[in-house]
Amino acid sequence: LETACNQADGWPDDLFVSVNLSPVEFKKGNVVARIQHALVKTGIQPTRLELEITESTMLEDAESSLEVMCDLKALGIRITMDDFGTGYSSLNNLRTFPFDGLKIDRSFLSRLEESDEDKAIVQGMVSLGRALSLTVTAEGIETSAHLQWLRAVACHEGQGYYLSRPLDADAFAALVAQ
C-alpha cells in the first residue's frame, strides 16, 4: 500500500492508484488506521486511492465490514467491488455497501466472442453499474473486439493485455509521460 501510494504521488493529479485489499488485511482491526498512516506518510490525497475489495471479504462480518468501509469512504477513498459476478454476488450488497465501482471478472470476457450468454451478463452488469452511478471496469480485455464491444455497451474502464502488459513503476512513469 505504501509503495503504491509513494509511486502514485509522482503521477499527474488526475490519476489514481488502485490497490487490492486482501481479506486478511481487511479483517485486521486497525485497517483504517493503517491506510490513514500510509496516506499521511506518502502525502497522497485520499481521493487518489482506490481499494479493491472482493465481496467474500465482507460476508463474514457484514456489520463490521460496513463500518470499516464507511470510515474509509469518510476519508475520501474510493472503494470498488472486485471480481463482480463470481462467488456469492448479491445485488443487495451493491445497495448496502458504499461502493464507488465494480470490476467485472475477467472470466466473463474470456468467452465474450462465442457466448451470447456472457455478452448478456456483461451488458447487464454494465447497465446495472451505470444505473447505480458506479464506475464499471472490465477485466481481461485481450482483443480489439473486446474493447470495441465494451465501448459499444458504454463500459467506463477496462484493463487487460490488449491495453497494456503489466508494467513496473519506471515503465509506467514513462508511459504516463508520453
Side-chain angles (χ1 to χ4, degrees):
L1 179 66
E2 271 186 39
T3 300
C5 289
N6 261 330
Q7 290 171 349
D9 191 40
W11 301 346
D13 289 342
D14 61 335
L15 295 180
F16 63 90
V17 64
S18 189
V19 177
N20 288 78
L21 194 59
S22 78
V24 172
E25 291 172 309
F26 192 80
K27 291 174 192 166
K28 288 182 181 177
N30 62 350
V31 67
V32 175
R34 286 184 297 113
I35 290 169
Q36 210 168 12
H37 175 76
L39 292 170
V40 169
K41 185 174 180 181
T42 62
I44 190 172
Q45 292 298 310
T47 55
R48 297 189 56 216
L49 176 61
E50 175 181 72
L51 297 174
E52 296 180 15
I53 302 171
T54 59
E55 196 170 16
S56 61
T57 299
M58 304 170 307
L59 292 178
E60 287 186 26
D61 185 355
E63 189 175 316
S64 175
S65 296
L66 180 58
E67 184 178 324
V68 167
M69 290 173 71
C70 287
D71 290 346
L72 292 169
K73 290 287 298 169
L75 294 174
I77 296 168
R78 296 168 35 129
I79 302 174
T80 295
M81 182 189 295
D82 197 14
D83 299 334
F84 183 71
T86 63
Y88 303 101
S89 294
S90 167
L91 298 181
N92 186 50
N93 289 338
L94 289 177
R95 185 174 54 181
T96 303
F97 293 93
F99 288 107
D100 297 291
L102 57 89
K103 287 184 84 170
I104 299 171
D105 189 75
R106 65 180 294 114
S107 63
F108 293 101
L109 266 67
S110 65
R111 298 179 341 118
L112 199 61
E113 292 163 350
E114 69 255 9
S115 171
D116 289 339
E117 291 84 6
D118 282 1
K119 282 182 183 175
I121 290 169
V122 172
Q123 186 168 6
M125 289 180 190
V126 170
S127 296
L128 176 64
R130 292 183 72 82
L132 295 173
S133 299
L134 300 173
T135 300
V136 181
T137 305
E139 297 178 319
I141 299 173
E142 306 298 333
T143 66
S144 173
H146 286 165
L147 182 59
Q148 290 173 8
W149 189 84
L150 288 163
R151 284 181 171 157
V153 298
C155 186
H156 296 107
E157 300 175 348
Q159 68 183 63
Y161 285 159
Y162 179 74
L163 301 172
S164 175
R165 296 278 179 188
L167 302 172
D168 64 28
D170 292 336
F172 182 75
L175 178 67
V176 169
Q178 289 178 352

